[in-house]
Amino acid sequence: GNGDVYAMLQDISALADDISSTTITTLIQDIQKLLPPRPDWLADALKKESTRIVGFGHTTSIFRLAADCVGKVDLDRSVVQYALYNILLGKTESEQATLLRAKSQEYASIVSPYDYRPDTPYPETNLLLPKLALLFAVMTHLEIPSVHYEYANGSCLGILLHEDFWKKQHNDGL
């Protein structure tokens, strides 16, 4: 998970004075070396036009972080890569937190309409780069073209099995 990726980043960046794009690229490559090959069932599913990969979570979600960076809930690999290399990289943790707090407020109506808390500091600032690196590495390695983020408070794995949710989403054109 992102804690392991954080430790990997610490090991790599200990060899350099700061975290550079080369450091992040090395981290992504190291993550990908640990991942299994893309399973056939996923490859088959991704061939279907109707397939939609959904990531959900609350304020500390890897998907929420990417959505907050760019103000979009449909996250293709290039958007995640842009957020990682062009929005967060090169900034201190404090600068990242300030920037993301402002962005999350700006994009609240899009990303998290039910969770607007203007006075709350951005969470887990030490994990911002590792989380986006992990998301980009997995999406690239598994050839997932995009992920749709849905706001959820808590671990809601049960929603995946709730047929009424999927019928409603389909009927609403989502």
Side-chain angles (χ1 to χ4, degrees):
N2 55 50
D4 293 329
V5 174
Y6 176 77
M8 292 169 67
L9 178 60
Q10 295 304 303
D11 290 344
I12 295 167
S13 63
L15 305 173
D17 292 335
D18 63 355
I19 298 174
S20 66
S21 62
T22 303
T23 305
I24 294 298
T25 300
T26 300
L27 176 63
I28 290 166
Q29 291 168 346
D30 288 352
I31 293 166
Q32 290 176 324
K33 289 176 189 173
L34 298 173
L35 297 173
R38 181 172 71 163
D40 292 339
W41 65 264
L42 180 59
D44 292 342
L46 290 172
K47 291 176 188 173
K48 298 175 186 171
E49 193 174 313
S50 62
T51 297
R52 184 178 199 189
I53 306 296
V54 177
F56 54 89
H58 196 242
T59 55
T60 60
S61 164
I62 196 170
F63 308 107
R64 168 71 176 268
L65 166 60
D68 278 345
C69 281
V70 297
K72 297 169 69 170
V73 292
D74 291 308
L75 309 164
D76 64 36
R77 284 193 305 254
S78 65
V79 165
V80 176
Q81 183 179 32
Y82 179 82
L84 178 59
Y85 285 95
N86 298 96
I87 294 177
L88 292 183
L89 189 63
K91 294 175 179 62
T92 66
E93 245 180 63
S94 176
E95 291 168 334
Q96 290 172 0
T98 300
L99 175 69
L100 281 176
R101 184 166 180 245
K103 283 184 172 290
S104 68
Q105 291 172 6
E106 178 183 351
Y107 301 137
S109 65
I110 299 167
V111 175
S112 59
Y114 310 109
D115 187 45
Y116 180 66
R117 297 181 193 158
D119 298 328
T120 305
Y122 206 84
E124 298 183 347
T125 55
N126 62 319
L127 296 175
L128 299 178
L129 287 173
K131 284 182 177 187
L132 281 186
L134 177 59
L135 179 57
F136 182 70
V138 170
M139 288 178 73
T140 302
H141 183 76
L142 297 178
E143 300 176 50
I144 297 171
S146 66
V147 174
H148 175 80
Y149 169 70
E150 284 289 336
Y151 169 82
N153 185 0
S155 299
C156 301
L157 293 175
I159 196 86
L160 297 175
L161 303 174
H162 196 281
E163 193 172 311
D164 289 341
F165 173 79
W166 294 106
K167 285 179 185 175
K168 179 186 180 309
Q169 293 297 316
H170 182 70
N171 290 337
D172 288 346
L174 299 175

